């Protein structure tokens, strides 16, 4: 997280991911996403949302094949 990283509310993070607030709260509860606790309120850094998306992006079949090269 950088000092210029925007902190999103749970509602904003849910909107950014196109999910419900409940899903974001579950991610926080299970510690599957980084978050910042400001007393009682919780904020999610934009970089944490980007990292979550990147980690769960499934490569296309063509990308997967090119990574391993051709079979002998």
């Amino acid at each position: 997280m950088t000092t210029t990283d925007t902190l999103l509310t749970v509602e904003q993070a849910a909107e950014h991911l196109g999910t419900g607030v409940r899903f974001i709260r579950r991610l926080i509860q299970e510690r599957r996403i980084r978050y910042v606790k400001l007393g009682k309120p919780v904020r999610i850094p934009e970089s944490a949302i980007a990292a979550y998306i990147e980690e769960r992006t499934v490569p296309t079949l063509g990308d997967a094949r090119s990574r391993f090269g051709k079979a002998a």
Side-chain angles (χ1 to χ4, degrees):
M1 186 175 132
T2 64
T3 55
T4 60
D5 204 1
T6 305
L7 297 175
L8 304 173
T9 64
V10 173
E11 292 79 13
Q12 291 170 329
E15 185 177 322
H16 193 73
L17 286 176
T19 65
V21 173
R22 242 175 121 174
F23 178 72
I24 301 298
R25 292 200 185 280
R26 186 172 352 117
L27 291 177
I28 291 168
Q29 180 186 12
E30 295 172 358
R31 295 189 180 199
R32 292 170 45 200
I33 195 166
R34 287 184 302 120
Y35 62 94
V36 178
K37 199 130 161 84
L38 304 169
K40 188 173 180 176
V42 174
R43 300 290 184 262
I44 298 101
E46 275 189 337
S47 62
I49 299 288
Y52 182 82
I53 292 169
E54 183 65 31
E55 290 169 3
R56 283 154 184 80
T57 299
V58 179
T60 64
L61 190 55
D63 291 343
R65 284 185 182 160
S66 66
R67 210 175 340 152
F68 297 111
K70 294 185 177 184

